[in-house]
Amino acid sequence: MVTTLGPAGFTRRAVEVLSEHFTEPVWMRDFRLEAFDAYERLPMPGPPDEEWRRTDLSGFPWDAFDADPEPVGGPAEIPVLPPGVIFSDLRTAVAKHPDLVREHFMRTVVRPDESKFRALHAALWNAGTFLYVPERVEVAVPLRSEAWIGREAAALFPHTLVVAEAGSRVTLIDEFGSYAGGWGAFADGVVELILRDGAQVRYVARQDWMAAVTEIGILRARLSRDSALHSLIVALGGRVVKGNIESLLEGPGATSEMLGLIFGHDGQHFDLHTLQEHRAPHTLSDLLYKNAVKDRARSVFSGMIRVHPGAQKTNAFQANRNLILSDGAKADSIPNLEIMANDLRCTHGSATSRLHEEHLFYLMSRGLRRLDAVRMVVEGFFAELVDRIPLEDVRVRLRGDVDRKMVQ
Amino acid sequence: MATTNPMGINAEKYKYGFFEPEKYVFKARKGLNAEIVNEISHMKDEPPWMRAFRLHAYDHFTKRPMPKWGADLSTINFDDIYYYIKPTEKQAKSWEELPEEIKRTYDRLGIPEAEKKFLAGVGAQYESEVVYHNLKDEWEKLGVIFLDTDSALKEHPDLFREYFATVVPPEDNKIAALNSAVWSGGSFVYVPAGVRVDIPLQAYFRINAQNMGQFERTLIICEPGSYVHYVEGCTAPVYSSDSLHSAVVEIIVKEGARCRYTTIQNWSTNVYNLVTKRAVAYRDATMEWIDGNLGSKLTMKYPSVYMVEPGAKAEILSVAFAGHGQHQDPGGKVIHAAPHTQSVVVSKSISKDGGRAGYRGLVKIYPGAKGSRSAVRCDALILDDRSRSDTYPTMEIDEEDVSITHEATVSKVSDEQLFYLMSRGVKEDEAMNMIVRGFVEPIVKELPLEYAVELNRLIALEMEGSVG
């Protein structure tokens, strides 16, 4: 079923109609309209901005899309949960837990006035998941949520908000995709993760849009004392993907593991910016992003480790590995450091290479066909990363993804 | 606190904060307009093409916006700078002919003595023009040309025009455009095919007038199979208001030739040091930049090598030391535009007393540059909790058949290292000194002996008072 609420384009009227369609409380409607003001006020980022040097959206047909009023989004299934845990789609949460949502939604982690696309998301968010885990509650089973692009010219604004109270533990696997069809579509997502003292969160985002999707998004986590985040970003689909993945380590003892698996084929363009921001002493961040590109695909890894004054005894590690599989594919790597404390250990490394003929030759001399030998080397390239995920079904899935990308 | 380092040098005596009273033959007005550019060209009695070149560059300078990236350049007042000063009427041919006050300055830097022992020639830049040149007869016999750039324009006009501004065109960046409009002095080096210049060619540069800009222009041409090592060092007296140093260095390294360019920069801490250095390396040629940055308020300098034919090699070694109020933003660029090209970049930066030091670089691999290899290594040492280190490498790789690595570490002087040395009877400040020297050793060992000594002295001087 194709649902639209009016002409395409991101207009104030579209915001009002969407809010009305969702029968939202006044505060959310006002929040959206204020965000839309910011959207109109803020400049469109472009190549003169350092962060947008490698992704040029000028000429993008903004008027061709409209916010899908009925996208599929929210929990994929709801298992039996410990008392007090809230796991629902965001629209339901706005109605049933307004205080909790209002306290956290786009206020303390990601703000609408940060940039044009954050503002647009805040004005037109239309899908999403809310997960709240009370103090010292442990959710044993991994939770799954999703958001889907369901038709041509749809704009999807998925929002994931996770609040993990002190001492809680939870795993969330977030899936993003489009239903069959190489539709021209637009996605502008925000993921906000709040980790209170001692909380432990594992978050997996797997994105497998169909071909013609343009995606802009951010994942930002704020980590309090002794909390631990393990994040994995899997980017496989879309035509142009521009994302930020940020961990703000704000309490002593906080740790953040940041993993990324990116595989581009055809003319895909992935531009991912990571931030490891150490604002407190005794914090640890450990980042590993692996990008493979074939055909004419291009990947950009731009990482920043920033250690603020006073964040002593920090350990910060950043590694980017790129594998270029074809003539014509490109991989850019920009691993930056800004260090304003002295008592720390901080390293970053980047390596870009091709398939080594010796490795292939070795495997082929053992009787493997060339295609299988290449596949094996690429699997080996990603294995270091995949093996760090303690979820068997995710690992199996990722191996399948890599195999599929090899022949796509 | 006076420190005597293990080489027996009393650092207290080695302060470069002296200066001579100004005495100039001609002094242009402050600020810049087309008329002053014309006047500079007229004073120098230049051919019309150079005047047109300067005016074109000036035009570009006025139109080009200030770069937005990197350090803060908004505090430079281009209207508060002298763009040309001529220190003496004519070029001195021997040391004895130099004016007394200039000789005194150089005596304190130890140049004549050094020259007796080691040097092939001294191109000493006192103010905006090279005042002293000495080139050993044997190089002249081999056809090596080592002149100040102004004289080269007059004496070798065809050779000059063939290469000048071919590596760094005036449109390259705003600061290079400024240099192109008002350049004065610098060195011109021509090494004929197959000639090896075994002893480094050296030039000392000084800034000595308040609010004075130095815009020297250096051009080095290495014909096929030749070798030359060019060394420049800078020390400057301390003045109160900001001054600007903006040089352009162009190097052409032809087939199978090798060029090494060494800089020890110790401008006083009020100098903006904005320098464009670039080399083009042809088939199987090798270009090496060795770059030590200790002084200046702000240094932005990214020596680059364009490897345009197969087999070309680039090496960039960089040391930066930032103390109180200093921002060192050096780096390097290696452009792989041909197959089987190789580059190595090693950067060592030290920051203390609130200083900010780092590395900004680019590795670019063009499509078709098959079999290219690049390795970049950046190490930073932060000596206290008020200082800062930045690393901004960029790798753009448009080719499959390559091997590119980048590594960086940031660390402090560990208590274990200090404890170990102190348990051997070394005092704390000396121990600190030794650790810092060990940190920069891989680069210092590439320097000619007297520069290695000077760099160690300067670091010892910078390290004063860093303990306790």
Side-chain angles (χ1 to χ4, degrees):
Chain A
M1 187 187 71
V2 173
T3 316
T4 54
L5 297 173
F10 304 134
T11 60
R12 173 169 277 269
R13 182 72 196 135
V15 175
E16 287 166 350
V17 170
L18 190 73
S19 183
E20 202 170 306
H21 177 75
F22 290 163
T23 56
E24 283 176 347
V26 174
W27 67 264
M28 180 55 85
R29 178 195 157 92
D30 290 348
F31 180 88
R32 287 179 184 274
L33 289 170
E34 200 178 314
F36 191 80
D37 289 342
Y39 167 73
E40 289 195 307
R41 190 174 66 240
L42 290 164
M44 175 66 73
D49 304 294
E50 191 58 36
E51 204 191 302
W52 287 84
R53 267 182 71 179
R54 288 167 172 80
T55 300
D56 185 1
L57 289 180
S58 62
F60 188 75
W62 298 107
D63 289 340
F65 303 97
D66 69 284
D68 187 348
E70 293 297 338
V72 173
E77 55 192 20
I78 302 185
V80 179
L81 294 167
V85 174
I86 301 164
F87 185 44
S88 76
D89 76 84
L90 191 56
R91 277 164 59 189
T92 306
V94 168
K96 289 172 77 175
H97 309 279
D99 294 345
L100 269 178
V101 174
R102 203 173 175 180
E103 184 184 342
H104 299 291
F105 179 79
M106 294 200 84
R107 273 186 206 281
T108 60
V109 186
V110 176
R111 293 184 58 85
D113 54 9
E114 282 174 18
S115 77
K116 199 165 188 77
F117 294 111
R118 304 293 103 83
L120 185 63
H121 173 96
L124 286 167
W125 71 269
N126 54 0
T129 300
F130 179 63
L131 172 59
Y132 178 83
V133 189
E135 252 182 76
R136 287 189 295 282
V137 169
E138 187 172 328
V139 183
V141 292
L143 304 178
R144 289 166 197 284
S145 55
E146 59 190 357
W148 292 85
I149 288 171
R151 62 167 166 81
E152 179 84 34
L156 181 69
F157 297 93
H159 194 103
T160 300
L161 174 58
V162 176
V163 182
E165 294 286 4
S168 65
R169 292 182 74 153
V170 70
T171 294
L172 178 64
I173 299 165
D174 228 353
E175 294 268 353
F176 302 90
S178 20
Y179 290 127
W183 298 314
F186 174 68
D188 175 1
V190 172
V191 177
E192 301 183 280
L193 308 177
I194 297 165
L195 284 75
R196 306 281 195 221
D197 292 359
Q200 292 188 39
V201 172
R202 181 174 294 278
Y203 178 78
V204 177
R206 177 181 171 280
Q207 173 273 92
D208 193 12
W209 310 114
M210 284 291 180
V213 173
T214 297
E215 180 195 4
I216 292 155
I218 186 168
L219 181 165
R220 186 179 294 154
R222 289 183 64 172
L223 288 87
S224 303
R225 177 182 289 270
D226 296 327
S227 63
L229 170 67
H230 299 268
S231 70
L232 167 67
I233 303 302
V234 180
L236 305 167
R239 182 165 53 202
V240 175
V241 174
K242 167 83 174 61
N244 296 68
I245 301 98
E246 305 182 351
S247 278
L248 316 184
L249 298 114
E250 299 176 327
T255 61
S256 178
E257 178 191 48
M258 301 164 76
L259 303 176
L261 185 160
I262 291 89
F263 198 153
H265 78 288
D266 199 14
Q268 287 186 303
H269 175 107
F270 293 96
D271 183 359
L272 296 183
H273 293 243
T274 65
L275 174 65
Q276 295 154 266
E277 177 125 334
H278 293 260
R279 292 180 177 166
H282 299 278
T283 46
L284 163 75
S285 65
D286 186 5
L287 177 145
L288 174 63
Y289 269 63
K290 291 209 156 195
N291 300 354
V293 277
K294 67 188 192 88
D295 307 330
R296 290 166 293 111
R298 183 184 191 194
S299 72
V300 179
F301 169 82
S302 177
M304 173 67 81
I305 294 177
R306 189 179 291 130
V307 181
H308 285 255
Q312 300 289 32
K313 306 285 181 196
T314 284
N315 286 304
F317 308 109
Q318 182 193 62
N320 168 228
R321 303 278 178 265
N322 300 311
L323 183 63
I324 303 182
L325 293 164
S326 323
D327 268 342
K330 294 181 182 189
D332 293 353
S333 181
I334 312 158
N336 300 304
L337 306 176
E338 289 182 354
I339 312 294
M340 290 159 274
N342 67 323
D343 187 3
L344 49 79
R345 282 198 305 155
C346 179
T347 65
H348 69 181
S350 163
T352 301
S353 62
R354 59 173 304 198
L355 285 171
H356 288 286
E357 281 302 324
E358 311 90 80
H359 298 172
L360 294 179
F361 178 80
Y362 174 82
L363 291 167
M364 284 156 71
S365 74
R366 290 278 182 281
L368 286 176
R369 288 180 306 157
R370 186 177 176 90
L371 180 70
D372 293 324
V374 170
R375 181 179 296 169
M376 206 161 198
V377 171
V378 174
E379 276 173 11
F381 171 73
F382 284 121
E384 176 195 0
L385 191 139
V386 172
D387 289 347
R388 281 168 70 169
I389 316 297
L391 300 164
E392 178 59 24
D393 57 333
V394 173
R395 285 200 301 269
V396 169
R397 186 86 179 271
L398 290 177
R399 288 189 197 110
D401 286 336
V402 169
D403 279 353
R404 179 171 50 82
K405 289 293 283 192
M406 285 301 298
V407 295
Q408 231 167 12
Chain B
M1 185 175 64
T3 307
T4 304
N5 66 24
M7 307 191 93
I9 293 151
N10 185 341
E12 195 62 24
K13 283 186 182 167
Y14 201 74
K15 298 259 190 192
Y16 283 171
F18 57 86
F19 61 90
E20 301 294 337
E22 294 176 21
K23 180 178 135 196
Y24 299 108
V25 176
F26 165 85
K27 200 162 183 171
R29 299 180 298 281
K30 276 185 182 177
L32 191 60
N33 54 40
E35 194 190 327
I36 289 180
V37 173
N38 253 317
E39 205 171 306
I40 291 171
S41 194
H42 176 74
M43 286 291 299
K44 289 169 170 287
D45 196 20
E46 288 176 344
W49 74 266
M50 182 56 80
R51 178 181 302 219
F53 172 87
R54 287 180 183 274
L55 289 168
H56 166 76
Y58 173 72
D59 187 51
H60 187 77
F61 168 73
T62 56
K63 285 179 185 152
R64 188 83 174 246
M66 280 300 261
K68 275 201 280 184
W69 53 274
D72 179 19
L73 299 175
S74 61
T75 47
I76 299 175
N77 182 357
F78 288 104
D79 293 330
D80 198 29
I81 291 168
Y82 290 108
Y83 285 88
Y84 179 65
I85 304 174
K86 187 171 178 153
T88 51
E89 279 290 341
K90 60 177 189 207
Q91 189 102 347
K93 288 194 184 66
S94 72
W95 177 255
E96 280 66 37
E97 281 179 34
L98 284 174
E100 202 55 38
E101 72 202 32
I102 295 179
K103 273 201 281 195
R104 259 208 314 278
T105 306
Y106 278 91
D107 279 338
R108 296 181 71 172
L109 288 174
I111 288 207
E113 200 184 320
E115 189 205 337
K116 279 173 215 155
K117 290 178 187 165
F118 303 110
L119 308 185
V122 173
Q125 178 149 359
Y126 191 100
E127 304 312 341
S128 301
E129 205 166 312
V130 170
V131 292
Y132 175 61
H133 250 298
N134 183 5
L135 183 64
K136 283 191 173 167
D137 294 343
E138 54 203 277
W139 303 133
E140 279 176 359
K141 279 178 216 148
L142 291 170
V144 174
I145 302 168
F146 180 27
L147 287 171
D148 71 273
T149 311
D150 293 279
S151 303
L153 174 58
K154 289 194 174 62
E155 293 175 26
H156 304 277
D158 297 337
L159 190 61
F160 189 96
R161 197 170 176 180
E162 186 181 347
Y163 294 103
F164 181 79
T166 57
V167 182
V168 180
E171 299 84 3
D172 189 78
N173 63 72
K174 187 178 176 81
I175 304 298
L178 177 63
N179 173 284
S180 300
V182 302
W183 73 268
S184 200
S187 295
F188 178 89
V189 177
Y190 176 83
V191 189
V195 171
R196 290 183 55 85
V197 183
D198 293 324
I199 301 169
L201 302 177
Q202 312 213 7
Y204 251 76
F205 299 87
R206 289 181 64 87
I207 291 180
N208 208 13
Q210 202 163 6
N211 292 329
M212 220 203 70
Q214 287 250 338
F215 302 95
E216 85 266 24
R217 182 104 194 179
T218 289
L219 177 56
I220 298 177
I221 301 143
C222 297
E223 292 289 354
S226 64
Y227 168 72
V228 69
H229 182 184
Y230 179 84
V231 185
E232 62 168 0
C234 313
T235 57
V238 177
Y239 276 98
S240 58
S241 70
D242 293 332
S243 45
L244 173 65
H245 173 250
S246 158
V248 168
V249 177
E250 300 177 277
I251 299 180
I252 294 128
V253 196
K254 295 194 183 171
E255 189 172 334
R258 178 172 162 221
C259 179
R260 172 175 276 212
Y261 191 107
T262 299
T263 307
I264 300 297
Q265 174 271 112
N266 188 28
W267 299 111
S268 59
T269 53
N270 56 335
V271 172
Y272 287 91
N273 186 37
L274 311 173
V275 174
T276 306
K277 287 183 166 172
R278 188 174 303 156
V280 178
Y282 291 91
R283 180 178 292 269
D284 298 326
T286 302
M287 178 65 213
E288 300 161 340
W289 294 104
I290 297 167
D291 206 59
N293 294 290
L294 288 107
S296 85
K297 173 180 188 164
L298 165 68
T299 286
M300 290 175 79
K301 176 165 58 169
Y302 318 102
S304 51
V305 184
Y306 285 63
M307 289 163 276
V308 297
E309 287 186 357
K313 293 187 185 67
E315 188 168 336
I316 300 172
L317 306 177
S318 169
V319 180
F321 193 117
H324 178 69
Q326 286 184 285
H327 184 178
Q328 302 283 12
D329 195 73
K333 293 196 265 188
V334 285
I335 314 295
H336 294 256
H340 304 289
T341 47
Q342 294 180 27
S343 63
V344 176
V345 179
V346 179
S347 161
K348 302 265 180 182
S349 68
I350 302 160
S351 46
K352 71 182 277 272
D353 290 343
R356 180 174 171 189
Y359 170 82
R360 188 187 300 276
L362 172 68
V363 175
K364 170 90 190 172
I365 314 279
Y366 275 95
K370 290 189 179 301
S372 292
R373 294 168 170 274
S374 174
V376 179
R377 162 139 213 106
C378 303
D379 294 322
L381 192 58
I382 308 182
L383 296 180
D384 55 57
D385 59 4
R386 290 166 296 153
S387 304
R388 167 166 179 174
S389 165
D390 304 306
T391 310
Y392 305 105
T394 298
M395 282 154 272
E396 295 181 355
I397 298 149
D398 300 355
E399 168 59 45
E400 164 215 17
D401 181 10
V402 293
S403 164
I404 312 298
T405 62
H406 174 92
E407 287 176 65
T409 62
V410 178
S411 57
K412 66 163 196 165
V413 174
S414 75
D415 293 339
E416 293 84 14
Q417 287 170 315
L418 279 178
F419 178 80
Y420 174 81
L421 288 167
M422 287 164 73
S423 73
R424 291 279 182 280
V426 179
K427 280 189 293 184
E428 188 178 1
D429 54 350
E430 256 178 64
M432 194 75 129
N433 237 318
M434 285 168 77
I435 291 165
V436 170
R437 276 209 309 279
F439 176 75
V440 300
E441 207 268 339
I443 289 173
V444 171
K445 75 177 185 206
E446 295 295 325
L447 297 173
L449 176 67
E450 64 274 25
Y451 279 85
V453 171
E454 173 160 322
L455 186 70
N456 277 333
R457 281 180 194 167
L458 289 170
I459 287 174
L461 197 63
E462 297 287 343
M463 290 293 295
E464 272 178 37
S466 61
V467 175

